[in-house]
Amino acid sequence: MSAPVRVWAPDATKVECRIGPADAPVTAAMRPADDGWWEGPRLPARTDYAFVVDGNGPFPDPRSAWQPHGVHGPSRTFDADAHAWGDGSWAGVDARGAVHYELHIGTFTPGGTLDAIDAHQLRDLAARGIEMIELMPVAAFPGDRGWGYDGVALYSVHEAYGGPEALQRFVDRAHQHGLGVCLDIVYNHLGPDGNYLAQFGPYFTDAHETPWGWAVNLDQPSAEGMRRFIVDNALRWFEDFHLDALRLDAVHALVDDSPRHILAELADETASLASRLGRPLSLTAESDLNDVAMVTPTSKGGLGMTAQWADDVHHALHAYLTGERHGYYCDFGSIEALDKVYRDVFLHDGGFSTFRGEDWGAPVPASTDRRRFVVFASNHDQVGNRALGDRPASRLSPGAQAASLALVLLSPFTPMLFMGEEYGETRPFMFFTDHDEPLGSAVSEGRMSEFAGHGWEDLYGGSIQVPDPQDRQTFLRSKLGSGVSAASPGHQRIERWVAEAMAARAATLDDDAWAAHPAGASEQAPRQLTMHGPVMVHANLSDAPMVVPAASPALAVFGSVEASEDGLVLAPDAVALVAAEGAA
């Protein structure tokens, strides 16, 4: 039997439910319940409905699971229990230490849907060593195409991706192929188009500010409505969709001055649910605060996140390999910066940040599990927010590209690859949207204005034309190449290298191995790099031969590497993986 439709509207004097097609709806009165909630009739699955609040509306349900008519249309009821799950033997996967793979549903396949990611592709990812697929946001957003960070129906699954039933099918398939699934969630703001939450109650506040507009109300009067909205949303993804992890976008914008931060509340409730379900459930935060409190357990006064993204590692690695120093890369690029992040996680851990113009961050204790930090050489932000959306693979030499992959996969951290990186995809991943007017033109003009005069011409070696995010070709050009890895010898080399680096990971998975062989980075000459650890990564990015001592043969090589009585001789643009002396 279906449950009654419910909505939180604490200040309303009258709420009605409009049921059925928009041209001939049936209106049903809703009755007040406890704590600002209103209850209506029981509706069968696949019934369209919307709410009228004090004569205004109709508006979609704030907790709508399904928006088949778009973000402005009525909601549709969804029976989460109807799917016959086939993952009964799934024991779950902890985000810590699992090899992540970030993908955008719309550009990962020609079809651009969840169902288009078929069993063959999932088997391929699992065979490559991927353990956790991280989906960019699926919450319904305006139009058909976009990154998803302007979602407005946070309980729903975007219709162009297949809707909620397709997400259940996808997670079920992934689990049956041994892959966990992480979903990117945005709680710090909602998009501007189709955001009707304020029509129902005090979900937002002007007591705080965010770069995207209204701040969510976490600590002002009636904040319990938004707090439960967030916590219930997260728990629902775990229960109804069998997800293994959530990635929480830009949590530094979740301003909460209440006695108990919303992240700590969410962490504790997630831990309770994990105990009840009998499988690990992970929360990974994106935070620019460089504060280990983010991943400190709530029992020790922290916010209790399972893991967090470590952008400083990306910045140090990217700036070293590319030589770029613009924007937030200005403090990075030296071997000293690279060594520090591999040892200490954050470059800015209490010292001065030139980009921010102030002291920033706090130290990470040596006892903190380094698997709590997710690292990458590419992700949607670091690629898509470049003026042309160009990937490092399109600019790096083959050896530098191979080095970047090894430096991520064999680090002490939790590694993540961005879709296509496993075979050296060079097609761009750009910022794209599908807004109605006048917002569409405003977004296009704003994007082009934002990238004007920021030094991109110097970086790209001449004048550039920033892609129009509203142009459908920008979206289509961002799709992964079809069959590209099979057609290119260069891509096949990268594929083989990734497979060899994945195999070498086995020596890095024991904490004792890192205690015996601590992480770090050094140069024996400029651009002749070694990452230290249980598996040493030697990369010759210089124009001269690089000689490294090696007591045993290389585990894997990329480029020209020869053995000599002094060890290994790496030609320019070559990389070698060598087990540290005494390492298993």
Side-chain angles (χ1 to χ4, degrees), residues 11 34 89 106 125 134-135 143 192 197 237 239 312 343 394 403 407 410 420 423 448 465 476 497 516:
D11 301 326
D34 293 337
S89 62
L125 290 175
E134 183 168 312
L135 300 174
L197 279 188
W237 294 117
E239 289 201 85
D312 278 19
R343 292 180 183 275
S394 68
L407 291 164
L410 299 173
Y423 60 78
M448 295 177 189
Q465 180 65 43
L476 294 176
W497 176 251

Side-chain angles (χ1 to χ4, degrees), residues 70-71 131 172 244 247 260 264 306 318 334 351 371 378 490 534 560 576 579:
V71 298
E131 297 168 290
D172 208 352
D244 301 282
R247 183 260 189 190
R260 188 183 186 206
T306 312
H318 181 89
S334 67
R371 296 173 302 172
S378 294
S560 178

Side-chain angles (χ1 to χ4, degrees), residues 49-68:
Y49 69 103
F51 296 122
V52 177
V53 182
D54 288 334
N56 298 313
F59 305 118
D61 184 351
R63 296 190 178 208
S64 168
W66 199 352
Q67 289 297 122

Side-chain angles (χ1 to χ4, degrees), residues 461-524:
S463 62
I464 60 169
Q465 180 65 43
V466 177
D468 181 356
Q470 284 284 109
D471 185 345
R472 191 166 185 269
Q473 288 301 312
T474 301
F475 165 70
L476 294 176
R477 288 173 57 209
S478 296
K479 283 182 176 282
L480 293 183
S482 177
V484 65
S485 62
S488 165
H491 288 138
Q492 292 172 2
R493 289 176 66 202
I494 290 294
E495 282 188 302
R496 289 194 298 271
W497 176 251
V498 169
E500 291 167 337
M502 287 286 193
R505 283 195 80 235
T508 71
L509 301 181
D510 191 301
D511 290 343
D512 291 339
W514 286 104
H517 306 284
S522 65
E523 286 181 333
Q524 60 175 261

Side-chain angles (χ1 to χ4, degrees), residues 436-474:
D436 290 334
E437 295 299 339
L439 181 58
S441 293
V443 168
S444 294
E445 292 167 7
R447 183 75 174 180
M448 295 177 189
S449 173
E450 176 186 356
F451 284 97
H454 280 205
W456 293 105
E457 292 84 357
D458 293 338
L459 177 65
Y460 292 115
S463 62
I464 60 169
Q465 180 65 43
V466 177
D468 181 356
Q470 284 284 109
D471 185 345
R472 191 166 185 269
Q473 288 301 312
T474 301

Side-chain angles (χ1 to χ4, degrees), residues 293-307:
M294 189 63 62
V295 293
T296 300
T298 59
S299 61
K300 297 182 179 179
L303 296 178
M305 297 293 98
T306 312

